[in-house]
Amino acid sequence: MVKRSYILTIVFVLTAMFSFAQTASVVKAYELYTQGEYVLASKAIDQAVKEKEAVDDALAWQLRAIIYFEIFSRIEQKSSVSESRVISLQSALRSMELDDEKKFYDQNILILDKLSNSYYNDAVKALKPLDPDNPFFAKSSFDEFVRLQKIAHPDINLDGKTIDFYRAQATAFGNLYQNNPVMNEAFYELTLESLQDALKLDSMNYGANYNLAIYLFNEGVYKIETINSIIDIRDIVLIEKEGVDLFKQAEPYMLRAHELKPREETLKGLKLIYRSLNNIDKYEYYSNELDLFLENKTE
């Protein structure tokens, strides 16, 4: 629901601006809007922006953006497939384009912030849980959030929020894959890609390094475990190699995670990786390090 302060701010600005001459259709739309008749107001403002007097009027387009946002928010309950949201966005951008003197700038930025946050919320909801039939909806919603934020705030840095999204998306993809590795095999690669995208933005992100190491290691274990059901010796050799390759891929990510934040979980991870690689020296080293860590933890 739109905050009351937001509504009052917009009404105040629009009331001030309506001291200037406006077309009858714009005035009618504004009056219907203030009465809460948003659908009727939308019809009036649609008519207004087609008229010669208002087609290039930044205030009329801003009013249209506000009216359609109210329909999206109040009537459509912020539906992720709302056409009213799209119209609101298009109208706000048109108002900004026409607003050479930036008389309506602050209100248009406020509208863009509200709209962009609605896309962010869609992205978060779409990951809990992720729909396997529409797996990229969350990403497209998040991308729209980023796009609008950069229009509203050109200097904004969204790397932290983007990394968090990639990690959350990786978890959603990973859950689908783990629920059914055979049917959902494609989601394994998408899991890795999401974490790698996070690391492109921050190679020193602990969570992305640790999670990527875990997914690679677990996949190696899964490969090795399938050997029991295979008879052909050539297939066994191939799968063993695939498993070992995955353990090797996991190693640098777990090492980096451990360097960033030495923890019980990273020590256990390194211990398991080196045991799986038959590297006895490093296995014993990290086993001892883990014992020392746990001793110090209990003191």
mmCIF file of all heavy atoms in Angstrom, residues 66-107:
data_model
loop_
_atom_site.group_PDB
_atom_site.id
_atom_site.type_symbol
_atom_site.label_atom_id
_atom_site.label_comp_id
_atom_site.label_asym_id
_atom_site.label_seq_id
_atom_site.Cartn_x
_atom_site.Cartn_y
_atom_site.Cartn_z
ATOM 1 N N ILE A 66 1.059 8.658 -11.965
ATOM 2 C CA ILE A 66 0.567 8.507 -10.589
ATOM 3 C C ILE A 66 -0.740 7.713 -10.563
ATOM 4 O O ILE A 66 -0.917 6.809 -9.739
ATOM 5 C CB ILE A 66 0.361 9.898 -9.952
ATOM 6 C CG1 ILE A 66 1.719 10.583 -9.770
ATOM 7 C CG2 ILE A 66 -0.359 9.776 -8.614
ATOM 8 C CD1 ILE A 66 1.614 12.049 -9.430
ATOM 9 N N ILE A 67 -1.647 8.037 -11.462
ATOM 10 C CA ILE A 67 -2.940 7.346 -11.506
ATOM 11 C C ILE A 67 -2.747 5.854 -11.771
ATOM 12 O O ILE A 67 -3.330 5.006 -11.079
ATOM 13 C CB ILE A 67 -3.856 7.979 -12.582
ATOM 14 C CG1 ILE A 67 -4.308 9.377 -12.135
ATOM 15 C CG2 ILE A 67 -5.068 7.079 -12.845
ATOM 16 C CD1 ILE A 67 -4.993 10.178 -13.231
ATOM 17 N N TYR A 68 -1.917 5.545 -12.753
ATOM 18 C CA TYR A 68 -1.712 4.128 -13.076
ATOM 19 C C TYR A 68 -0.926 3.397 -11.988
ATOM 20 O O TYR A 68 -1.113 2.189 -11.791
ATOM 21 C CB TYR A 68 -1.042 3.986 -14.443
ATOM 22 C CG TYR A 68 -2.054 3.981 -15.570
ATOM 23 C CD1 TYR A 68 -2.332 5.134 -16.294
ATOM 24 C CD2 TYR A 68 -2.766 2.820 -15.885
ATOM 25 C CE1 TYR A 68 -3.281 5.131 -17.313
ATOM 26 C CE2 TYR A 68 -3.705 2.799 -16.898
ATOM 27 C CZ TYR A 68 -3.959 3.953 -17.610
ATOM 28 O OH TYR A 68 -4.907 3.938 -18.611
ATOM 29 N N PHE A 69 -0.081 4.120 -11.260
ATOM 30 C CA PHE A 69 0.591 3.476 -10.136
ATOM 31 C C PHE A 69 -0.427 3.109 -9.056
ATOM 32 O O PHE A 69 -0.332 2.049 -8.437
ATOM 33 C CB PHE A 69 1.666 4.385 -9.530
ATOM 34 C CG PHE A 69 2.415 3.717 -8.410
ATOM 35 C CD1 PHE A 69 3.521 2.925 -8.683
ATOM 36 C CD2 PHE A 69 1.992 3.825 -7.089
ATOM 37 C CE1 PHE A 69 4.202 2.274 -7.663
ATOM 38 C CE2 PHE A 69 2.660 3.186 -6.069
ATOM 39 C CZ PHE A 69 3.773 2.402 -6.355
ATOM 40 N N GLU A 70 -1.404 3.983 -8.838
ATOM 41 C CA GLU A 70 -2.445 3.679 -7.849
ATOM 42 C C GLU A 70 -3.255 2.451 -8.275
ATOM 43 O O GLU A 70 -3.621 1.620 -7.435
ATOM 44 C CB GLU A 70 -3.369 4.890 -7.674
ATOM 45 C CG GLU A 70 -2.701 6.112 -7.074
ATOM 46 C CD GLU A 70 -2.269 5.904 -5.646
ATOM 47 O OE1 GLU A 70 -2.687 4.906 -5.022
ATOM 48 O OE2 GLU A 70 -1.501 6.736 -5.135
ATOM 49 N N ILE A 71 -3.534 2.324 -9.557
ATOM 50 C CA ILE A 71 -4.263 1.142 -10.046
ATOM 51 C C ILE A 71 -3.420 -0.107 -9.813
ATOM 52 O O ILE A 71 -3.912 -1.135 -9.325
ATOM 53 C CB ILE A 71 -4.610 1.303 -11.540
ATOM 54 C CG1 ILE A 71 -5.625 2.436 -11.726
ATOM 55 C CG2 ILE A 71 -5.165 -0.009 -12.108
ATOM 56 C CD1 ILE A 71 -5.916 2.770 -13.182
ATOM 57 N N PHE A 72 -2.141 -0.027 -10.178
ATOM 58 C CA PHE A 72 -1.221 -1.147 -9.961
ATOM 59 C C PHE A 72 -1.144 -1.518 -8.486
ATOM 60 O O PHE A 72 -1.228 -2.698 -8.116
ATOM 61 C CB PHE A 72 0.165 -0.765 -10.494
ATOM 62 C CG PHE A 72 1.287 -1.576 -9.929
ATOM 63 C CD1 PHE A 72 1.393 -2.932 -10.214
ATOM 64 C CD2 PHE A 72 2.243 -0.990 -9.097
ATOM 65 C CE1 PHE A 72 2.433 -3.696 -9.675
ATOM 66 C CE2 PHE A 72 3.284 -1.741 -8.568
ATOM 67 C CZ PHE A 72 3.377 -3.090 -8.854
ATOM 68 N N SER A 73 -1.003 -0.521 -7.631
ATOM 69 C CA SER A 73 -0.783 -0.775 -6.212
ATOM 70 C C SER A 73 -2.050 -1.169 -5.470
ATOM 71 O O SER A 73 -2.064 -2.150 -4.717
ATOM 72 C CB SER A 73 -0.170 0.477 -5.566
ATOM 73 O OG SER A 73 0.055 0.275 -4.194
ATOM 74 N N ARG A 74 -3.122 -0.426 -5.680
ATOM 75 C CA ARG A 74 -4.328 -0.618 -4.875
ATOM 76 C C ARG A 74 -5.300 -1.633 -5.475
ATOM 77 O O ARG A 74 -5.841 -2.476 -4.770
ATOM 78 C CB ARG A 74 -5.039 0.723 -4.690
ATOM 79 C CG ARG A 74 -4.266 1.745 -3.869
ATOM 80 C CD ARG A 74 -4.972 3.084 -3.869
ATOM 81 N NE ARG A 74 -4.281 4.070 -3.078
ATOM 82 C CZ ARG A 74 -4.480 4.280 -1.776
ATOM 83 N NH1 ARG A 74 -5.376 3.552 -1.144
ATOM 84 N NH2 ARG A 74 -3.814 5.203 -1.117
ATOM 85 N N ILE A 75 -5.543 -1.519 -6.764
ATOM 86 C CA ILE A 75 -6.561 -2.367 -7.396
ATOM 87 C C ILE A 75 -5.985 -3.713 -7.820
ATOM 88 O O ILE A 75 -6.577 -4.771 -7.584
ATOM 89 C CB ILE A 75 -7.190 -1.640 -8.603
ATOM 90 C CG1 ILE A 75 -7.908 -0.370 -8.125
ATOM 91 C CG2 ILE A 75 -8.164 -2.562 -9.333
ATOM 92 C CD1 ILE A 75 -8.455 0.493 -9.247
ATOM 93 N N GLU A 76 -4.811 -3.674 -8.418
ATOM 94 C CA GLU A 76 -4.197 -4.914 -8.914
ATOM 95 C C GLU A 76 -3.280 -5.566 -7.891
ATOM 96 O O GLU A 76 -2.661 -6.604 -8.179
ATOM 97 C CB GLU A 76 -3.431 -4.617 -10.208
ATOM 98 C CG GLU A 76 -4.327 -4.113 -11.317
ATOM 99 C CD GLU A 76 -3.562 -3.718 -12.575
ATOM 100 O OE1 GLU A 76 -2.322 -3.631 -12.513
ATOM 101 O OE2 GLU A 76 -4.208 -3.505 -13.613
ATOM 102 N N GLN A 77 -3.200 -4.952 -6.712
ATOM 103 C CA GLN A 77 -2.427 -5.540 -5.611
ATOM 104 C C GLN A 77 -0.982 -5.869 -6.009
ATOM 105 O O GLN A 77 -0.424 -6.887 -5.659
ATOM 106 C CB GLN A 77 -3.126 -6.796 -5.075
ATOM 107 C CG GLN A 77 -4.503 -6.544 -4.486
ATOM 108 C CD GLN A 77 -4.450 -5.646 -3.259
ATOM 109 O OE1 GLN A 77 -3.805 -5.971 -2.274
ATOM 110 N NE2 GLN A 77 -5.137 -4.513 -3.330
ATOM 111 N N LYS A 78 -0.397 -4.963 -6.792
ATOM 112 C CA LYS A 78 1.004 -5.070 -7.219
ATOM 113 C C LYS A 78 1.297 -6.383 -7.949
ATOM 114 O O LYS A 78 2.321 -7.024 -7.721
ATOM 115 C CB LYS A 78 1.935 -4.884 -6.022
ATOM 116 C CG LYS A 78 1.811 -3.507 -5.391
ATOM 117 C CD LYS A 78 2.831 -3.276 -4.292
ATOM 118 C CE LYS A 78 2.713 -1.860 -3.754
ATOM 119 N NZ LYS A 78 3.689 -1.581 -2.669
ATOM 120 N N SER A 79 0.399 -6.750 -8.827
ATOM 121 C CA SER A 79 0.583 -7.947 -9.637
ATOM 122 C C SER A 79 1.863 -7.844 -10.467
ATOM 123 O O SER A 79 2.155 -6.798 -11.054
ATOM 124 C CB SER A 79 -0.613 -8.144 -10.571
ATOM 125 O OG SER A 79 -0.324 -9.099 -11.567
ATOM 126 N N SER A 80 2.602 -8.939 -10.530
ATOM 127 C CA SER A 80 3.868 -8.942 -11.270
ATOM 128 C C SER A 80 3.665 -8.861 -12.781
ATOM 129 O O SER A 80 4.611 -8.612 -13.520
ATOM 130 C CB SER A 80 4.671 -10.194 -10.934
ATOM 131 O OG SER A 80 3.963 -11.366 -11.309
ATOM 132 N N VAL A 81 2.430 -9.073 -13.241
ATOM 133 C CA VAL A 81 2.147 -8.990 -14.676
ATOM 134 C C VAL A 81 1.250 -7.798 -14.997
ATOM 135 O O VAL A 81 0.581 -7.762 -16.029
ATOM 136 C CB VAL A 81 1.496 -10.299 -15.188
ATOM 137 C CG1 VAL A 81 2.474 -11.456 -15.093
ATOM 138 C CG2 VAL A 81 0.216 -10.620 -14.412
ATOM 139 N N SER A 82 1.277 -6.806 -14.139
ATOM 140 C CA SER A 82 0.407 -5.649 -14.301
ATOM 141 C C SER A 82 0.773 -4.799 -15.515
ATOM 142 O O SER A 82 1.921 -4.360 -15.656
ATOM 143 C CB SER A 82 0.469 -4.771 -13.044
ATOM 144 O OG SER A 82 -0.158 -3.527 -13.265
ATOM 145 N N GLU A 83 -0.209 -4.545 -16.355
ATOM 146 C CA GLU A 83 -0.014 -3.635 -17.479
ATOM 147 C C GLU A 83 -0.033 -2.189 -16.992
ATOM 148 O O GLU A 83 0.615 -1.308 -17.571
ATOM 149 C CB GLU A 83 -1.107 -3.854 -18.528
ATOM 150 C CG GLU A 83 -0.968 -3.003 -19.781
ATOM 151 C CD GLU A 83 0.277 -3.327 -20.595
ATOM 152 O OE1 GLU A 83 0.807 -4.449 -20.470
ATOM 153 O OE2 GLU A 83 0.726 -2.447 -21.356
ATOM 154 N N SER A 84 -0.748 -1.947 -15.902
ATOM 155 C CA SER A 84 -0.825 -0.597 -15.345
ATOM 156 C C SER A 84 0.548 -0.123 -14.874
ATOM 157 O O SER A 84 0.882 1.062 -14.993
ATOM 158 C CB SER A 84 -1.815 -0.568 -14.177
ATOM 159 O OG SER A 84 -3.113 -0.887 -14.628
ATOM 160 N N ARG A 85 1.344 -1.031 -14.329
ATOM 161 C CA ARG A 85 2.694 -0.666 -13.898
ATOM 162 C C ARG A 85 3.523 -0.217 -15.096
ATOM 163 O O ARG A 85 4.280 0.765 -15.014
ATOM 164 C CB ARG A 85 3.365 -1.823 -13.180
ATOM 165 C CG ARG A 85 4.817 -1.542 -12.828
ATOM 166 C CD ARG A 85 5.413 -2.556 -11.892
ATOM 167 N NE ARG A 85 5.403 -3.917 -12.414
ATOM 168 C CZ ARG A 85 5.957 -4.956 -11.792
ATOM 169 N NH1 ARG A 85 6.563 -4.774 -10.623
ATOM 170 N NH2 ARG A 85 5.909 -6.164 -12.311
ATOM 171 N N VAL A 86 3.396 -0.942 -16.195
ATOM 172 C CA VAL A 86 4.134 -0.589 -17.414
ATOM 173 C C VAL A 86 3.720 0.793 -17.904
ATOM 174 O O VAL A 86 4.563 1.624 -18.274
ATOM 175 C CB VAL A 86 3.904 -1.643 -18.510
ATOM 176 C CG1 VAL A 86 4.583 -1.222 -19.808
ATOM 177 C CG2 VAL A 86 4.422 -2.999 -18.059
ATOM 178 N N ILE A 87 2.419 1.063 -17.884
ATOM 179 C CA ILE A 87 1.923 2.366 -18.328
ATOM 180 C C ILE A 87 2.411 3.465 -17.398
ATOM 181 O O ILE A 87 2.799 4.556 -17.840
ATOM 182 C CB ILE A 87 0.381 2.349 -18.404
ATOM 183 C CG1 ILE A 87 -0.084 1.366 -19.478
ATOM 184 C CG2 ILE A 87 -0.152 3.753 -18.697
ATOM 185 C CD1 ILE A 87 -1.585 1.144 -19.513
ATOM 186 N N SER A 88 2.400 3.198 -16.105
ATOM 187 C CA SER A 88 2.899 4.168 -15.133
ATOM 188 C C SER A 88 4.353 4.503 -15.413
ATOM 189 O O SER A 88 4.762 5.673 -15.416
ATOM 190 C CB SER A 88 2.751 3.604 -13.719
ATOM 191 O OG SER A 88 3.266 4.512 -12.759
ATOM 192 N N LEU A 89 5.151 3.478 -15.670
ATOM 193 C CA LEU A 89 6.569 3.685 -15.956
ATOM 194 C C LEU A 89 6.761 4.487 -17.242
ATOM 195 O O LEU A 89 7.547 5.451 -17.282
ATOM 196 C CB LEU A 89 7.269 2.333 -16.070
ATOM 197 C CG LEU A 89 8.719 2.349 -16.550
ATOM 198 C CD1 LEU A 89 9.576 3.227 -15.651
ATOM 199 C CD2 LEU A 89 9.269 0.932 -16.621
ATOM 200 N N GLN A 90 6.070 4.095 -18.281
ATOM 201 C CA GLN A 90 6.193 4.802 -19.558
ATOM 202 C C GLN A 90 5.805 6.277 -19.404
ATOM 203 O O GLN A 90 6.452 7.161 -19.980
ATOM 204 C CB GLN A 90 5.303 4.139 -20.611
ATOM 205 C CG GLN A 90 5.772 2.742 -21.019
ATOM 206 C CD GLN A 90 4.761 2.005 -21.877
ATOM 207 O OE1 GLN A 90 3.567 2.344 -21.885
ATOM 208 N NE2 GLN A 90 5.221 0.992 -22.609
ATOM 209 N N SER A 91 4.784 6.510 -18.601
ATOM 210 C CA SER A 91 4.303 7.889 -18.409
ATOM 211 C C SER A 91 5.304 8.715 -17.609
ATOM 212 O O SER A 91 5.538 9.889 -17.919
ATOM 213 C CB SER A 91 2.948 7.866 -17.700
ATOM 214 O OG SER A 91 1.996 7.151 -18.458
ATOM 215 N N ALA A 92 5.891 8.117 -16.579
ATOM 216 C CA ALA A 92 6.887 8.837 -15.773
ATOM 217 C C ALA A 92 8.107 9.195 -16.626
ATOM 218 O O ALA A 92 8.636 10.309 -16.537
ATOM 219 C CB ALA A 92 7.303 7.991 -14.576
ATOM 220 N N LEU A 93 8.545 8.262 -17.445
ATOM 221 C CA LEU A 93 9.699 8.523 -18.307
ATOM 222 C C LEU A 93 9.369 9.601 -19.350
ATOM 223 O O LEU A 93 10.219 10.435 -19.675
ATOM 224 C CB LEU A 93 10.134 7.233 -19.002
ATOM 225 C CG LEU A 93 10.709 6.144 -18.080
ATOM 226 C CD1 LEU A 93 10.989 4.871 -18.879
ATOM 227 C CD2 LEU A 93 11.964 6.627 -17.372
ATOM 228 N N ARG A 94 8.139 9.579 -19.847
ATOM 229 C CA ARG A 94 7.717 10.609 -20.810
ATOM 230 C C ARG A 94 7.674 11.975 -20.122
ATOM 231 O O ARG A 94 8.090 12.976 -20.708
ATOM 232 C CB ARG A 94 6.349 10.251 -21.377
ATOM 233 C CG ARG A 94 5.800 11.261 -22.387
ATOM 234 C CD ARG A 94 6.699 11.420 -23.582
ATOM 235 N NE ARG A 94 6.119 12.337 -24.579
ATOM 236 C CZ ARG A 94 6.828 12.997 -25.468
ATOM 237 N NH1 ARG A 94 8.147 12.856 -25.513
ATOM 238 N NH2 ARG A 94 6.236 13.810 -26.333
ATOM 239 N N SER A 95 7.190 12.017 -18.902
ATOM 240 C CA SER A 95 7.151 13.270 -18.150
ATOM 241 C C SER A 95 8.561 13.827 -17.950
ATOM 242 O O SER A 95 8.804 15.023 -18.122
ATOM 243 C CB SER A 95 6.480 13.055 -16.790
ATOM 244 O OG SER A 95 6.468 14.246 -16.036
ATOM 245 N N MET A 96 9.500 12.945 -17.618
ATOM 246 C CA MET A 96 10.887 13.370 -17.432
ATOM 247 C C MET A 96 11.480 13.896 -18.740
ATOM 248 O O MET A 96 12.236 14.871 -18.744
ATOM 249 C CB MET A 96 11.717 12.203 -16.898
ATOM 250 C CG MET A 96 11.350 11.775 -15.497
ATOM 251 S SD MET A 96 12.277 10.332 -14.928
ATOM 252 C CE MET A 96 13.909 11.057 -14.684
ATOM 253 N N GLU A 97 11.125 13.245 -19.823
ATOM 254 C CA GLU A 97 11.622 13.662 -21.138
ATOM 255 C C GLU A 97 11.133 15.055 -21.505
ATOM 256 O O GLU A 97 11.865 15.850 -22.110
ATOM 257 C CB GLU A 97 11.167 12.637 -22.189
ATOM 258 C CG GLU A 97 11.652 12.913 -23.594
ATOM 259 C CD GLU A 97 11.108 11.910 -24.595
ATOM 260 O OE1 GLU A 97 10.446 10.940 -24.172
ATOM 261 O OE2 GLU A 97 11.327 12.100 -25.805
ATOM 262 N N LEU A 98 9.896 15.369 -21.131
ATOM 263 C CA LEU A 98 9.296 16.659 -21.476
ATOM 264 C C LEU A 98 9.640 17.765 -20.480
ATOM 265 O O LEU A 98 9.474 18.944 -20.787
ATOM 266 C CB LEU A 98 7.770 16.515 -21.542
ATOM 267 C CG LEU A 98 7.212 15.609 -22.644
ATOM 268 C CD1 LEU A 98 5.741 15.314 -22.400
ATOM 269 C CD2 LEU A 98 7.415 16.254 -24.015
ATOM 270 N N ASP A 99 10.114 17.378 -19.321
ATOM 271 C CA ASP A 99 10.334 18.311 -18.211
ATOM 272 C C ASP A 99 11.707 18.978 -18.315
ATOM 273 O O ASP A 99 12.600 18.739 -17.493
ATOM 274 C CB ASP A 99 10.189 17.551 -16.891
ATOM 275 C CG ASP A 99 10.231 18.468 -15.686
ATOM 276 O OD1 ASP A 99 9.980 19.678 -15.843
ATOM 277 O OD2 ASP A 99 10.518 17.959 -14.584
ATOM 278 N N ASP A 100 11.868 19.844 -19.303
ATOM 279 C CA ASP A 100 13.163 20.485 -19.544
ATOM 280 C C ASP A 100 13.632 21.310 -18.352
ATOM 281 O O ASP A 100 14.829 21.378 -18.071
ATOM 282 C CB ASP A 100 13.087 21.382 -20.783
ATOM 283 C CG ASP A 100 12.869 20.581 -22.060
ATOM 284 O OD1 ASP A 100 13.284 19.408 -22.097
ATOM 285 O OD2 ASP A 100 12.267 21.126 -23.010
ATOM 286 N N GLU A 101 12.717 21.941 -17.671
ATOM 287 C CA GLU A 101 13.077 22.806 -16.542
ATOM 288 C C GLU A 101 13.092 22.053 -15.210
ATOM 289 O O GLU A 101 13.319 22.640 -14.159
ATOM 290 C CB GLU A 101 12.097 23.979 -16.458
ATOM 291 C CG GLU A 101 12.147 24.877 -17.698
ATOM 292 C CD GLU A 101 11.168 26.023 -17.617
ATOM 293 O OE1 GLU A 101 10.553 26.217 -16.540
ATOM 294 O OE2 GLU A 101 11.003 26.725 -18.623
ATOM 295 N N LYS A 102 12.849 20.755 -15.263
ATOM 296 C CA LYS A 102 12.869 19.887 -14.077
ATOM 297 C C LYS A 102 11.921 20.383 -12.965
ATOM 298 O O LYS A 102 12.215 20.285 -11.776
ATOM 299 C CB LYS A 102 14.291 19.760 -13.522
ATOM 300 C CG LYS A 102 15.240 19.029 -14.477
ATOM 301 C CD LYS A 102 16.568 18.738 -13.826
ATOM 302 C CE LYS A 102 17.499 17.994 -14.753
ATOM 303 N NZ LYS A 102 17.018 16.661 -15.142
ATOM 304 N N LYS A 103 10.778 20.902 -13.365
ATOM 305 C CA LYS A 103 9.780 21.329 -12.387
ATOM 306 C C LYS A 103 9.178 20.134 -11.643
ATOM 307 O O LYS A 103 8.730 20.261 -10.506
ATOM 308 C CB LYS A 103 8.651 22.091 -13.086
ATOM 309 C CG LYS A 103 9.064 23.440 -13.662
ATOM 310 C CD LYS A 103 7.863 24.106 -14.328
ATOM 311 C CE LYS A 103 8.228 25.454 -14.913
ATOM 312 N NZ LYS A 103 7.054 26.108 -15.586
ATOM 313 N N PHE A 104 9.139 19.001 -12.307
ATOM 314 C CA PHE A 104 8.471 17.829 -11.735
ATOM 315 C C PHE A 104 9.471 16.700 -11.435
ATOM 316 O O PHE A 104 9.084 15.556 -11.264
ATOM 317 C CB PHE A 104 7.391 17.329 -12.700
ATOM 318 C CG PHE A 104 6.561 18.444 -13.285
ATOM 319 C CD1 PHE A 104 6.699 18.800 -14.616
ATOM 320 C CD2 PHE A 104 5.685 19.165 -12.489
ATOM 321 C CE1 PHE A 104 5.955 19.845 -15.152
ATOM 322 C CE2 PHE A 104 4.946 20.206 -13.020
ATOM 323 C CZ PHE A 104 5.077 20.547 -14.352
ATOM 324 N N TYR A 105 10.739 17.063 -11.392
ATOM 325 C CA TYR A 105 11.815 16.069 -11.275
ATOM 326 C C TYR A 105 11.685 15.215 -10.013
ATOM 327 O O TYR A 105 11.725 13.977 -10.081
ATOM 328 C CB TYR A 105 13.166 16.783 -11.290
ATOM 329 C CG TYR A 105 14.345 15.861 -11.130
ATOM 330 C CD1 TYR A 105 14.860 15.163 -12.219
ATOM 331 C CD2 TYR A 105 14.938 15.678 -9.886
ATOM 332 C CE1 TYR A 105 15.938 14.305 -12.078
ATOM 333 C CE2 TYR A 105 16.021 14.819 -9.727
ATOM 334 C CZ TYR A 105 16.517 14.144 -10.823
ATOM 335 O OH TYR A 105 17.577 13.300 -10.669
ATOM 336 N N ASP A 106 11.547 15.856 -8.873
ATOM 337 C CA ASP A 106 11.532 15.106 -7.601
ATOM 338 C C ASP A 106 10.399 14.089 -7.560
ATOM 339 O O ASP A 106 10.584 12.957 -7.103
ATOM 340 C CB ASP A 106 11.402 16.070 -6.419
ATOM 341 C CG ASP A 106 12.671 16.882 -6.195
ATOM 342 O OD1 ASP A 106 13.728 16.476 -6.721
ATOM 343 O OD2 ASP A 106 12.602 17.933 -5.520
ATOM 344 N N GLN A 107 9.216 14.491 -8.042
ATOM 345 C CA GLN A 107 8.089 13.572 -8.016
ATOM 346 C C GLN A 107 8.292 12.407 -8.988
ATOM 347 O O GLN A 107 7.939 11.267 -8.687
ATOM 348 C CB GLN A 107 6.792 14.318 -8.359
ATOM 349 C CG GLN A 107 6.398 15.363 -7.335
ATOM 350 C CD GLN A 107 6.189 14.758 -5.946
ATOM 351 O OE1 GLN A 107 5.537 13.733 -5.818
ATOM 352 N NE2 GLN A 107 6.734 15.397 -4.929
#
